Amino acid sequence: MIPINNWQDLQDAGLDLTETYVMQKDLLSTDPDYIGIGDDFTPLGHAAGASFSYFTGSFDANGHKIEGLIINKPGDSRVGLFAGVGNNASITLPDLDGGSVTASSDVGAYVGFAGQSSSITYTISGGVSSATVTSAAGKAGGCIGVARYNGVISDMGSSGNVTATSGSTVGGLIGTTQNNVMQVSRCFATGDVAGVSTVGGLIGLMGVGTFTDLFSAGNVTSSQNASANLTASGVASAPSSLGTGVIQNVYAVGQVNAPPLATVGGLIAALGSAFTVTSSYWDTQTTGQATSAGGTGKTTAEMYQQTTFAGWDFTPETGVWQIDEGNDYPELQWADTGIPVPDIKGLNRGAEAESVIVAGGFTVGPATAVASSEYSVGKVVSQNPAAGSSAAEGSLISYSYRAPLTPEQVVPDAADAAIASGVIIDTQVQGRSDAT
């Protein structure tokens, strides 16, 4: 195992694409070696032009993130954190906090081109990217540009905008999936997607595979051809010859924009007979689309109800989905990172501390008096969850406050101690009228 402790270590992972790498810390834009590496990163496995090598090792982000990654290769293809992902690769991704990735084509924030051999599987999971992705020639996705063959992709998301100024197949999550049996599950895209043709909120052009438990919420804009939040591939070229595809438990809510003659759908723009669509929906109001090649249209109010999504797994904590009924659409449980926990330490117990809890979107939990030397009596000395962490909106914040001192804890002052021992105290010196 090779540890990644800094930006240089991450860049050096490109020297051996077969090794096992484990991140040991967050990589930040304030780190000493960020300038010259993080702000001008060379994709792992990248070579000039369209040349690249597949990563076939193991990469584990180990719960860490990468902040401010910038990749600027406007004339090259196969561009992302990883240029290519190949046979038997196993990748658990870091979150990408900000940053940007720019290339000609086959570009994604995480992977430019995935899939080396039609008979060997690779796995990519985890990670939410807010990096923007820009392509000059299409095949661009918020996370992956091109994914093909026997890929298993799960628990991944993108909130960054994706733009292709030319070319086709542009998606909020993946630009295009191709060949053999692809598995994509428990993923989302919420960034806006814009391109010339074959543009999708999730996947621009969809090849044969199984696509389950997905959603898109970004706005989609296409200047021609197909435009939708989810697009099945090969419609105009007998897609049934490619095999069977399944789209299940998928929804879309972003606005879909395209010229009048374009093929447009709220959920799916065009669908071949090789695909089946089950338990999948689009919001007819927010997408601005009354029709789709597959799925069922619902109003926003209906999309806010769990009963709309019959058969979806809403098992608390261990299921796939959760919903704040009447207020929001379903969201993936793994992606619920919560909201920041406010700091109430040092505040007065009761109204002062509890008003901050409520204003932060949480519910007041139990308050417990404890003996403490920190802060003054009645002040909050600890809280759970800790300030600055994340927790589900509406969850409890409990706290402890410094209790008043008991008589046994009060140290008598000098006068009382003297009186108690029978010593006569000078009233002028002590200013007391009870001396005897």
Side-chain angles (χ1 to χ4, degrees), residues 54-67:
Y54 290 102
F55 180 85
T56 58
S58 173
F59 186 97
D60 184 1
N62 197 24
H64 294 293
K65 71 175 181 178
I66 295 176
E67 177 187 82

Side-chain angles (χ1 to χ4, degrees), residues 27-430:
L27 300 184
L28 307 177
S29 58
T30 54
D31 290 345
D33 60 345
Y34 170 76
I35 301 298
I37 302 177
D39 66 343
D40 188 21
F41 193 79
T42 298
L44 305 181
H46 175 265
S51 300
F52 74 107
S53 298
Y54 290 102
F55 180 85
T56 58
S58 173
F59 186 97
D60 184 1
N62 197 24
H64 294 293
K65 71 175 181 178
I66 295 176
E67 177 187 82
L69 178 72
I70 297 176
I71 301 175
N72 186 28
K73 305 292 181 184
D76 296 345
S77 301
R78 284 54 182 297
V79 173
L81 175 61
F82 296 86
V85 172
N87 296 342
N88 297 314
S90 176
I91 299 175
T92 302
L93 294 164
D95 287 346
L96 292 183
D97 188 358
S100 62
V101 180
T102 302
S104 176
S105 68
D106 297 26
V107 54
Y110 287 119
V111 181
F113 192 92
Q116 182 178 7
S117 171
S118 62
S119 61
I120 302 177
T121 300
Y122 60 91
T123 61
I124 305 172
S125 65
V128 175
S129 171
S130 61
T132 60
V133 175
T134 304
S135 163
K139 293 184 181 178
C143 290
I144 301 174
V146 176
R148 63 176 187 169
Y149 297 145
N150 294 320
V152 179
I153 298 169
S154 64
D155 305 303
M156 178 189 300
S158 173
S159 61
N161 294 340
V162 182
T163 304
T165 56
S166 184
S168 63
T169 63
V170 187
L173 184 75
I174 303 172
T176 178
T177 61
Q178 304 172 349
N179 311 107
N180 279 35
V181 181
M182 178 69 56
Q183 299 178 51
V184 182
S185 62
R186 300 185 303 276
C187 296
F188 72 89
T190 58
D192 293 342
V193 187
V196 176
S197 66
T198 319
V199 184
L202 276 170
I203 300 172
L205 185 66
M206 180 180 287
V208 168
T210 302
F211 304 86
T212 58
D213 296 311
L214 313 170
F215 77 88
S216 66
N219 297 325
V220 179
T221 302
S222 175
S223 58
Q224 70 178 41
N225 199 18
S227 176
N229 288 53
L230 189 68
T231 305
S233 68
V235 172
S237 57
S240 59
S241 64
L242 299 176
T244 301
V246 175
I247 299 170
Q248 183 174 13
N249 299 355
V250 175
Y251 77 83
V253 299
Q255 187 177 52
V256 180
N257 306 288
L261 297 180
T263 302
V264 180
L267 183 70
I268 301 169
L271 186 71
S273 59
F275 275 84
T276 60
V277 182
T278 59
S279 300
S280 296
Y281 310 91
W282 81 94
D283 188 322
T284 57
Q285 294 174 276
T286 58
T287 63
Q289 302 299 322
T291 61
S292 172
T296 304
K298 298 288 184 179
T299 66
T300 301
E302 289 173 320
M303 294 285 285
Y304 282 4
Q305 298 301 316
Q306 183 174 321
T307 54
T308 294
F309 305 92
W312 292 30
D313 185 358
F314 285 94
T315 305
E317 297 183 4
T318 60
V320 176
W321 297 94
Q322 63 188 20
I323 188 170
D324 180 11
E325 281 202 285
N327 297 308
D328 207 351
Y329 303 100
E331 63 180 5
L332 294 163
Q333 288 188 17
W334 74 261
D336 180 17
T337 56
I339 57 177
V341 174
D343 188 359
I344 59 171
K345 287 184 66 176
L347 301 182
N348 291 312
R349 72 180 181 95
E352 184 178 22
E354 293 172 7
S355 65
V356 172
I357 292 174
V358 173
F362 295 90
T363 301
V364 176
T368 305
V370 296
S372 175
S373 60
E374 188 178 9
Y375 300 113
S376 56
V377 172
K379 301 285 188 181
V380 176
V381 296
S382 65
Q383 65 180 89
N384 185 38
S389 63
S390 294
E393 186 173 1
S395 59
L396 297 178
I397 295 181
S398 58
Y399 65 91
S400 300
Y401 62 91
R402 181 173 175 178
L405 297 175
T406 65
E408 291 77 13
Q409 294 172 310
V410 177
V411 178
D413 63 21
D416 289 336
I419 293 172
S421 63
V423 177
I424 303 299
I425 305 298
D426 185 337
T427 59
Q428 286 186 325
V429 173
Q430 300 300 323

Side-chain angles (χ1 to χ4, degrees), residues 14-36:
L15 300 176
D16 189 342
L17 302 175
T18 66
E19 263 290 359
T20 296
Y21 299 93
V22 180
M23 290 182 65
Q24 304 297 308
K25 63 182 291 291
D26 294 344
L27 300 184
L28 307 177
S29 58
T30 54
D31 290 345
D33 60 345
Y34 170 76
I35 301 298

